[in-house]
């Protein structure tokens, strides 16, 4: 018996020819789809394309910000005491200085006045800020001074007035100029320590830094030198120490001369400073908020209504009544160190 024959079905050549076009069509369709997808992606607005990435970035930024905020809170919590201490020290040592300078004089003294203003400006430039220089002058003489002040590099306010004074009334004019400056400070509530700087004054820079420690009133010795008379006078507070802190207990005045008639020294003391003239304000400074203190009006009797409006007279009375509360400057030398010199040589004592 013959064994049966197994017949294997092999694909015919016709079937192979039918499959090849199908595969080619699929590949072309796939390529076209990819091309269209890439084309649409390229033509689409960038906001659509970047929406997902921006959302992710936003989440990252929020997380980073939250971490930084948490770290800052922890750091602030651990350093609260130290920060408060440093802020207090900064406030104590960096009170604003309100430097008032009057420019009493007529046009013949213009050159000398400009030289004195330049010298004062150079001194104030060496003082650490904040410093505000208030220069008071008659309106008719203001333009040259305004040009000079713009070149000094010091923060300033140029205050002018239209009142007319004769040459013989220069003391009255100086008194008016100081009231103009104090009125400006009171009107604009400029907080700081008020200090009267004369154009004939020479300063130790340590004094200007010490003034920032004044909370109400401060006083210091002032030396006045007369070159032609060869005479020197010193006046200032006498200090007493109580509890380790120095306080003003009295006022002294000392003068010496080495003229042709022989030298002499005179020394006198009194309980309070003699504030009978405007020259005495050069040895004092005060906190500006005293000018708008409601208790100011209670210091003058009702029989003297005009006196309460005069800021200089108010400051003088305040010093006399509260002299025992005055802070001596500098406080580390027991009131024995002279840091201001008034030189009566070629410049007028403004």
């Amino acid at each position: 018996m013959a064994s049966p024959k197994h017949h294997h079905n092999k694909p015919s050549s016709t079937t192979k020819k039918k499959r090849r076009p199908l595969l080619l069509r699929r590949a072309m369709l796939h390529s076209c789809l990819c091309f269209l997808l890439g084309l649409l992606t390229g033509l689409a607005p960038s906001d659509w394309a970047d929406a997902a990435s921006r959302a992710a970035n936003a989440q990252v930024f929020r997380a980073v910000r939250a971490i930084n905020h948490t770290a800052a809170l922890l750091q602030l919590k651990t350093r609260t005491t130290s920060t408060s201490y440093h802020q207090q020290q900064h406030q104590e040592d960096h009170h604003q200085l309100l430097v008032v300078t009057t420019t009493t004089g007529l046009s013949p003294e213009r050159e000398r006045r400009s030289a004195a203003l330049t010298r004062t400006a150079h001194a104030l430039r060496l003082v650490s800020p904040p410093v505000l220089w208030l220069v008071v002058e008659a309106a008719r003489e203001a333009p040259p001074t305004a040009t000079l002040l713009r070149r000094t590099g010091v923060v300033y306010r140029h205050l002018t007035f239209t009142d007319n004074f004769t040459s013989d009334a220069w003391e009255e004019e100086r008194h008016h100029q100081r009231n103009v400056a104090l009125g400006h400070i009171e009107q604009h509530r400029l907080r700081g320590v008020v200090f009267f700087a004369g154009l004939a004054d020479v300063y130790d820079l340590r004094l200007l830094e010490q003034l920032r420690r004044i909370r109400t009133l401060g006083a210091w010795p002032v030396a006045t030198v007369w070159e032609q008379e060869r005479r020197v006078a010193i006046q200032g507070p006498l200090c007493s120490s109580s509890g380790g802190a120095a306080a003003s207990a009295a006022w002294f005045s000392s003068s010496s001369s080495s003229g042709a008639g022989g030298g002499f020294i005179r020394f006198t003391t009194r309980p309070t400073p003699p504030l009978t003239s405007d020259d005495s304000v050069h040895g004092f400074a005060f906190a500006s908020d005293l000018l708008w203190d409601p208790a100011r009006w209670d210091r003058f009797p009702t029989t003297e209504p005009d006196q309460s409006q005069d800021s200089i007279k108010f400051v003088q009375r305040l010093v006399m009544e509260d002299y025992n509360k005055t802070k001596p400057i500098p406080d580390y030398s027991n009131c024995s160190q002279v840091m201001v010199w008034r030189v009566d040589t070629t410049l007028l004592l403004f």
Side-chain angles (χ1 to χ4, degrees), residues 29 52 72 86 148 224 230 236 242 247 269 283 285 305 312 314 319 339 342:
L29 180 60
H86 288 297
L148 184 149
T224 304
R230 304 187 67 181
S242 60
T269 61
I312 287 294
F314 163 70
V319 172
M339 306 180 79
R342 308 203 71 208

Side-chain angles (χ1 to χ4, degrees), residues 17 57 101 108 112 256 341:
K17 290 180 180 180
N57 291 336
T101 298
R112 292 188 293 176
S256 63
W341 295 265

Side-chain angles (χ1 to χ4, degrees), residues 100-111:
V100 176
T101 298
T102 59
T103 57
T104 308
L106 300 178
S107 55
E109 287 91 21
R110 166 59 58 187
E111 293 76 11

Side-chain angles (χ1 to χ4, degrees), residues 163-308:
D163 305 68
N164 293 321
F165 295 89
T166 63
S167 57
D168 297 332
W170 61 272
E171 290 185 351
E172 182 182 353
E173 182 180 359
R174 181 177 59 183
H175 185 92
H176 177 73
Q177 288 187 10
R178 288 173 178 162
N179 275 327
V180 168
L182 296 184
H184 181 84
I185 293 173
E186 180 181 1
Q187 178 183 358
H188 296 278
R189 294 296 192 268
L190 302 178
R191 294 189 177 274
V193 178
V194 181
F195 168 62
F196 295 96
L199 293 182
D201 295 352
V202 180
Y203 312 99
D204 188 324
L205 292 180
R206 292 175 296 174
L207 169 73
L208 301 179
E209 296 296 344
Q210 285 275 323
L211 294 180
R212 301 184 190 275
R213 302 185 181 182
I214 295 176
R215 295 297 172 264
T216 53
L217 297 169
W220 55 87
V222 178
T224 304
V225 181
W226 290 268
E227 182 182 19
Q228 295 181 353
E229 301 178 14
R230 304 187 67 181
R231 182 165 62 93
V232 178
I234 303 176
Q235 58 178 350
L238 283 176
C239 297
S240 64
S241 300
S242 60
S248 299
W251 185 264
F252 79 92
S253 178
S254 174
S255 62
S256 63
S257 175
S258 59
F264 68 91
I265 298 177
R266 180 182 301 168
F267 186 86
T268 59
T269 61
R270 53 183 298 161
T272 58
L275 298 178
T276 56
S277 65
D278 284 352
D279 287 338
S280 56
V281 300
H282 285 275
F284 292 91
F286 62 95
S288 62
D289 53 5
L290 294 176
L291 293 173
W292 54 83
D293 185 3
R296 166 180 177 174
W297 317 113
D298 298 334
R299 294 181 177 271
F300 292 88
T302 56
T303 57
E304 302 178 8
D306 296 337
Q307 299 292 329
S308 60

Side-chain angles (χ1 to χ4, degrees), residues 302-332:
T302 56
T303 57
E304 302 178 8
D306 296 337
Q307 299 292 329
S308 60
Q309 302 294 334
D310 194 317
S311 297
I312 287 294
K313 291 186 179 297
F314 163 70
V315 172
Q316 291 174 337
R317 174 167 294 196
L318 184 66
V319 172
M320 293 184 65
E321 294 181 356
D322 297 341
Y323 180 65
N324 58 343
K325 303 177 184 178
T326 301
K327 179 180 179 62
I329 302 294
D331 53 3
Y332 55 79

